[in-house]
Amino acid sequence: MQKKPISRVVIALVAAGTMAFSSLAAAHAHLHASVPADNAQVTSSPDALTLDFSEDIEAAFSGVTLVDSHQKPITTDKARVAADQKKQLIVGLPQPLKAGNYQVNWHVLSVDGHKTSGHYRFSVK
Ligand SMILES: [Cu+2]
């Protein structure tokens, strides 16, 4: 059966509506920047990992796991949100990191109720 032009218009409108909706829903927290940065090579261990997101986040439902190049978890402090900057997650490192490669696996819940996650790597010389 041949599609009638009207059904194509409907399909196009539905597609446009879906795209408009997803761009609105995309307001959840994306990682904008971090210290150490993605792929950074730092010369000494940082005292903390700092992650800057695009939206305010809920500390209670947000956190990171830090693993070394063998996927071994590294002990960190509990993630907290900066007092004056609710878009910033801070994870203290109680022990200095040895030289090597590290991966930060992060997950956050933004205040709009959306969960996002991702990872990045850095190395300590
Ligand atoms: Cu969202």
Side-chain angles (χ1 to χ4, degrees):
M1 196 179 89
Q2 216 176 5
K3 275 184 185 165
K4 286 175 183 153
I6 186 73
S7 61
R8 295 191 184 192
V9 170
V10 169
I11 288 165
L13 284 174
V14 168
T18 306
M19 277 153 62
F21 179 76
S22 16
S23 62
L24 283 176
H28 32 268
H30 297 283
L31 184 62
H32 268 181
S34 63
V35 179
D38 185 18
N39 286 321
Q41 294 193 330
V42 296
T43 50
S44 62
S45 175
D47 296 330
L49 308 175
T50 305
L51 293 82
D52 289 314
F53 292 93
S54 56
E55 304 293 323
D56 289 0
I57 54 176
E58 299 280 4
F61 301 98
S62 303
V64 308
T65 53
L66 177 64
V67 295
D68 69 12
S69 55
H70 306 289
Q71 298 296 311
K72 184 175 161 262
I74 307 295
T75 303
T76 66
D77 293 341
K78 200 169 169 356
R80 62 190 171 85
V81 169
D84 55 346
Q85 176 51 279
K86 303 265 187 274
K87 296 179 181 180
Q88 189 172 75
L89 195 66
I90 300 168
V91 183
L93 299 173
Q95 305 275 332
L97 299 177
K98 294 173 191 155
N101 299 316
Y102 294 90
Q103 180 168 316
V104 180
N105 300 311
W106 59 266
H107 67 275
V108 298
L109 178 72
S110 56
V111 292
D112 70 1
H114 291 130
K115 287 179 180 175
T116 48
S117 62
H119 60 84
Y120 63 91
R121 295 191 176 95
F122 69 90
S123 61
V124 178
K125 286 268 185 186

